[in-house]
Amino acid sequence: QVQLVESGGGLVQAGGSLRLSCAASGRIFRLNAMAWYHQAPGKQRDLVATITSGGNTNYADSVKGRFTISRDNAKNTVYLEMNSLKPEDTAVYYCNANIQMTPFRVPSDYWGQGTQVTVSS
């Protein structure tokens, strides 16, 4: 099977920075697009940023210029560098990856367990 393990969340003051990591492991034939989502209490899970296997990126308007998504394909890991954090960034952050386990299986989406990011004012 496949596992996504996130790390790097925590408590930070407004204006501070955090770096999230998400490592994929298990049976991986091809690791396609990876992404970060966040979900605040009582709200839906929203897309924060995506990155293709070739390194093309896309961001939600609310984080453009503050967050940077990157990946290390050799380590099957995606990162989210978060700068100039605001209280409204407070949420659980989830890693998502589209993974093909074998050459004969259709790719599927997998999710990490989530990591809490809290930004105090």
Side-chain angles (χ1 to χ4, degrees), residues 76-99:
N76 289 340
T77 299
V78 64
Y79 305 96
L80 187 67
E81 186 76 33
M82 304 186 292
N83 298 314
S84 302
L85 281 161
K86 305 175 181 179
E88 51 264 43
D89 295 319
T90 295
V92 178
Y93 283 71
Y94 294 93
C95 172
N96 171 273
N98 184 264
I99 296 173

Side-chain angles (χ1 to χ4, degrees), residues 4-102:
L4 298 180
V5 179
E6 299 135 339
S7 60
L11 173 63
V12 64
Q13 288 188 330
S17 299
L18 283 174
R19 188 190 196 211
L20 306 182
S21 300
C22 171
S25 63
R27 192 167 189 178
I28 300 173
F29 170 71
R30 179 175 291 124
L31 182 56
N32 297 317
M34 304 183 80
W36 288 96
Y37 287 73
H38 66 192
Q39 186 169 20
K43 296 189 176 181
Q44 66 181 20
R45 190 173 297 186
D46 289 329
L47 181 64
V48 175
T50 63
I51 185 166
T52 67
S53 56
N56 293 318
T57 60
N58 193 31
Y59 297 91
D61 287 343
S62 60
V63 306
K64 282 180 180 177
R66 299 188 299 122
F67 290 10
T68 302
I69 189 171
S70 61
R71 63 191 286 169
D72 184 334
N73 289 329
K75 296 181 179 180
N76 289 340
T77 299
V78 64
Y79 305 96
L80 187 67
E81 186 76 33
M82 304 186 292
N83 298 314
S84 302
L85 281 161
K86 305 175 181 179
E88 51 264 43
D89 295 319
T90 295
V92 178
Y93 283 71
Y94 294 93
C95 172
N96 171 273
N98 184 264
I99 296 173
Q100 185 177 2
M101 292 178 64
T102 77

